């Protein structure tokens, strides 16, 4: 039986069927650099150039020899894999390196926490942000309660409230005219506690993608993924990227007021302190799964200013853009925008370890948080040590420069193609080796192709054609299925890029002629 039989029977019936329809149901049994291999139906081996790159996780290629050597040395050296409740020395080293890098880039100090997947890093960031916000709210509440207690004593001793303030408190707590000052102070305290317990607001962006665990999914804009599970999590307010007025409106809506009574200038006065109840603002500096849309640096900078003014953390999800793919370790470095949190995943483990990490500005790091969050698999020596070696290889092989140079070249080639086929390719977007190619539907063309487009299958059909006909592996972005993502390894060569371009030119010809048959029969 072909390998797909067990997979379809025991794991993924619907997906296997869908992959079968477009010819993507291959088992890749070997990979080296930017090439991977499968066996065709006739049993013959076929080699494929990998432009999908593990959805962004194989920046150093498949089975990078230096990483394989390091992994084997770790295993043969009987490294302890599960040494929980001990000093995780390799996690410490990785933390130091990532933190030092961000310190040099931003001048701030960062703590580094580990998780096992991208979505789990998002969970970690959500929890750490909420924990810190809550600690700040509790502190404010404590200060106000101390003030209220002192003022209540003063009131009982006969000190008077400023004219009008008694009525204001009554209106606030809906206290009747016969309530005593002591009762009103108690009601005010209860009012504050209720206000402080309000659920936090999370801000995300339209087209945003942050993974698929129940928490992270709330931040993933795509309805198809989110809606079936939206009852499970904290609702997120989605903003249009670039729309500052919408951000300001959300910030205003998130405001919570706490009230105190303070003793000043010989009388008791009602005072209000407001805070923004936004637990975090999540953004990918280039929206990856949403179709490779770079965010405007000016917009992010304005959000940064608002984050400072209203005391909420800006979380930069660099799970897809980070680890050098855009030419710098973090893409935000090129934008000149500072995050309070940075998230990494994908290539951090060199495609040989499952590891993700979050970097938290010390200002948002509560030491107790580390005691509350843990995972059996996180901070393990093996994954941490692999990630450290990934950073070594990146330095010794000039990976950042390679990503920048090769990305620029590939971008130029693709933009040339777009100019030759503007009726087929709407736009080429991206930075470095994170490039999206958005195809356009044709109003007057083949009904079959329009149907395929409307159902969100065009990118998958193109992927099947490129794979089976030209030995090139690509896929669409998850939330924008007419955008082909190109995320090859930094080891990709000019000949491989040329082969991609030749094959894409044929796709463009076919789409210009609206020949659905040719695209699906190879
Ligand atoms: N955030 C971003 C920006 C991503 O691109 C992804 C994955 N595509 C995730 C989070 C989730 O990562 P994972 O699939 O490892 O859970």
């Amino acid at each position: 039986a072909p390998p797909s039989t067990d997979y379809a029977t025991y794991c993924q019936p619907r997906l296997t069927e869908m992959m079968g329809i477009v010819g993507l149901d291959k088992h890749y049994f070997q990979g080296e650099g930017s090439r991977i291999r499968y066996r065709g139906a006739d049993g013959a081996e076929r080699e494929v150039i990998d432009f999908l790159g593990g959805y962004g996780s194989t920046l150093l290629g498949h089975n990078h020899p230096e990483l394989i050597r390091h992994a084997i040395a770790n295993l043969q050296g009987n490294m302890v894999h599960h040494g929980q409740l001990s000093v995780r020395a390799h996690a410490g080293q990785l933390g130091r390196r990532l933190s030092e890098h961000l310190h040099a880039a931003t001048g701030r100090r960062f703590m580094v926490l580990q998780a096992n997947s991208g979505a789990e890093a998002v969970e970690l960031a959500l929890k750490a942000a909420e924990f810190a916000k809550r600690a700040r709210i509790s502190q404010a509440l404590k200060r106000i309660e101390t003030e209220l207690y002192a003022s209540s004593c003063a009131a009982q001793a006969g000190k008077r409230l400023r004219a009008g303030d008694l009525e204001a408190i009554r209106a606030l707590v809906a206290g009747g005219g016969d309530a005593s000052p002591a009762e009103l102070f108690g009601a005010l305290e209860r009012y504050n506690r209720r206000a402080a317990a309000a659920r936090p607001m999370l801000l995300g962006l339209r087209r945003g993608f942050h993974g698929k665990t129940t928490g992270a999914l709330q931040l993933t804009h795509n309805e198809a993924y989110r809606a079936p599970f939206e009852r499970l999590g904290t609702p997120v307010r989605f903003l249009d990227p670039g729309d500052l007025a919408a951000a300001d409106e959300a910030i205003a809506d998130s405001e919570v007021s706490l009230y105190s009574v303070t003793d000043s200038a010989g009388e008791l006065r009602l005072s209000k302190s407001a805070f923004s109840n936004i637990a975090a603002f999540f953004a990918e500096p280039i929206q990856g799964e949403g179709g490779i849309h770079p965010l405007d640096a000016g917009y992010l900078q304005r959000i940064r200013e608002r984050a400072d003014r209203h005391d909420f953390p800006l979380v930069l999800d660099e799970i897809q853009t980070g680890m050098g793919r855009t030419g710098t370790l973090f893409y935000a470095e090129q934008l000149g925008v500072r995050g309070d949190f940075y998230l990494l995943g994908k290539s951090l483990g060199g495609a040989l370890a499952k590891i993700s990490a979050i970097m938290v500005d010390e200002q948002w790091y509560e030491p107790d948080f580390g005691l509350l969050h843990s995972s059996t698999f996180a901070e393990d020596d093996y994954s941490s040590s692999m990630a450290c070696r990934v950073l070594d290889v990146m330095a010794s092989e000039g990976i950042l420069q390679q990503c920048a140079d090769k990305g620029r070249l590939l971008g130029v080639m693709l933009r040339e193609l777009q100019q030759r086929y503007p009726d087929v390719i709407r736009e080429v977007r991206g930075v470095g080796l994170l490039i999206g190619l958005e195809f356009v539907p044709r109003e007057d063309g083949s009904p079959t192709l329009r149907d395929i487009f409307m159902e969100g299958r065009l990118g998958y059909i193109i992927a099947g054609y490129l794979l089976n006909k030209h030995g090139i592996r690509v896929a669409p972005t998850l939330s924008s299925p007419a955008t082909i993502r190109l995320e090859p390894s930094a080891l990709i060569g000019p000949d491989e890029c040329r082969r991609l371009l030749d094959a894409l030119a044929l796709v463009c010809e076919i789409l210009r002629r609206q020949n659905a048959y040719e695209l699906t029969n190879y």
Side-chain angles (χ1 to χ4, degrees), residues 366-394:
E366 291 287 324
D368 282 349
F369 180 74
L371 302 176
L372 296 180
H373 184 93
S374 65
S375 156
T376 300
F377 299 117
E379 297 192 335
D380 60 309
D381 278 4
Y382 172 76
S383 306
S384 305
S385 143
M386 290 306 293
C388 286
R389 190 50 59 103
V390 166
L391 295 175
D392 293 339
V393 169
M394 287 181 60

Side-chain angles (χ1 to χ4, degrees), residues 54-360:
Y55 282 73
S57 63
T58 60
L59 188 68
L60 297 184
H62 296 272
N63 296 308
H64 188 287
E66 178 52 33
L67 296 179
I68 292 283
R69 259 196 301 280
H70 189 63
I72 290 173
N74 278 340
L75 297 177
Q76 285 186 334
N78 290 335
M79 166 183 261
V80 173
H81 293 282
H82 289 187
Q84 300 90 334
L85 194 62
S86 67
V87 173
R88 317 305 286 271
H90 294 275
Q93 275 171 28
L94 178 64
R96 177 174 50 72
R97 293 177 69 166
L98 293 173
S99 186
E100 281 178 358
H101 181 94
L102 277 180
H103 179 65
T106 66
R108 315 281 278 225
R109 305 231 164 255
F110 286 82
M111 298 299 289
V112 181
L113 311 176
Q114 277 191 27
N116 310 291
S117 68
E120 203 191 323
V122 171
E123 299 292 333
L124 196 47
L126 273 172
K127 280 175 60 182
E130 166 62 1
F131 192 72
K133 185 83 199 180
R134 207 180 143 107
R136 290 171 187 210
I137 296 171
S138 297
Q139 217 174 18
L141 201 58
K142 218 158 145 184
R143 172 184 55 77
I144 288 174
E145 288 186 359
T146 309
E147 283 168 7
L148 279 177
Y149 177 73
S151 300
S152 165
C153 293
Q156 275 169 44
K159 197 159 216 167
R160 299 184 68 80
L161 265 158
R162 181 171 56 172
D165 280 3
L166 194 64
E167 289 65 35
I169 296 175
R170 283 208 177 100
L172 210 54
V173 302
D178 53 353
S180 70
E183 282 167 341
L184 282 179
F185 278 98
L188 206 50
E189 192 171 301
R190 286 193 296 281
Y191 174 95
N192 283 336
R193 287 192 178 183
R194 254 196 322 276
R199 303 204 80 183
M201 184 188 272
L202 286 168
L203 299 181
L205 293 174
R206 197 169 57 78
R207 283 197 304 250
F209 185 100
H210 299 280
K212 293 188 179 173
T213 52
T214 54
L217 199 47
Q218 309 303 324
L219 288 155
T220 292
H221 180 247
N222 187 335
E223 282 262 336
Y225 298 138
R226 179 171 44 84
F229 308 102
E230 70 187 355
R231 295 196 310 175
L232 295 177
T234 306
V236 170
R237 183 134 157 190
F238 289 104
L239 307 172
D240 271 329
D243 187 347
L244 279 172
D248 286 335
E249 201 180 306
I251 292 167
D253 289 349
S254 79
E255 195 175 282
V256 169
S257 300
L258 302 178
Y259 292 89
S260 184
V261 176
T262 49
D263 193 344
S264 75
E267 60 179 0
L268 298 175
R269 292 175 174 208
L270 180 66
S271 66
K272 176 174 113 167
S273 47
F275 66 89
S276 143
N277 200 13
I278 295 170
F281 187 116
F282 273 76
E284 303 154 83
I286 299 174
Q287 298 185 297
E289 301 300 344
I292 324 276
H293 290 272
L295 291 187
D296 178 60
Y299 171 70
L300 271 182
Q301 194 54 51
R302 299 288 95 73
I303 296 296
R304 167 77 266 160
E305 288 160 17
R306 282 157 176 79
D308 288 334
R309 196 175 325 135
H310 299 280
D311 199 35
F312 60 81
L314 173 59
V315 179
L316 296 179
D317 180 345
E318 295 237 21
I319 287 167
Q320 187 125 218
T321 50
M323 286 312 287
R325 184 166 285 287
T326 66
T328 42
L329 192 60
F330 297 90
Y331 178 58
E333 294 173 61
Q334 291 174 53
L335 298 179
V337 175
R338 179 176 57 80
D340 299 292
F341 287 62
Y342 293 83
L343 317 188
L344 288 178
K346 304 257 186 203
S347 295
L348 179 58
L352 291 168
K354 295 180 185 179
I355 177 173
S356 60
I358 75 168
M359 280 116 279
V360 186

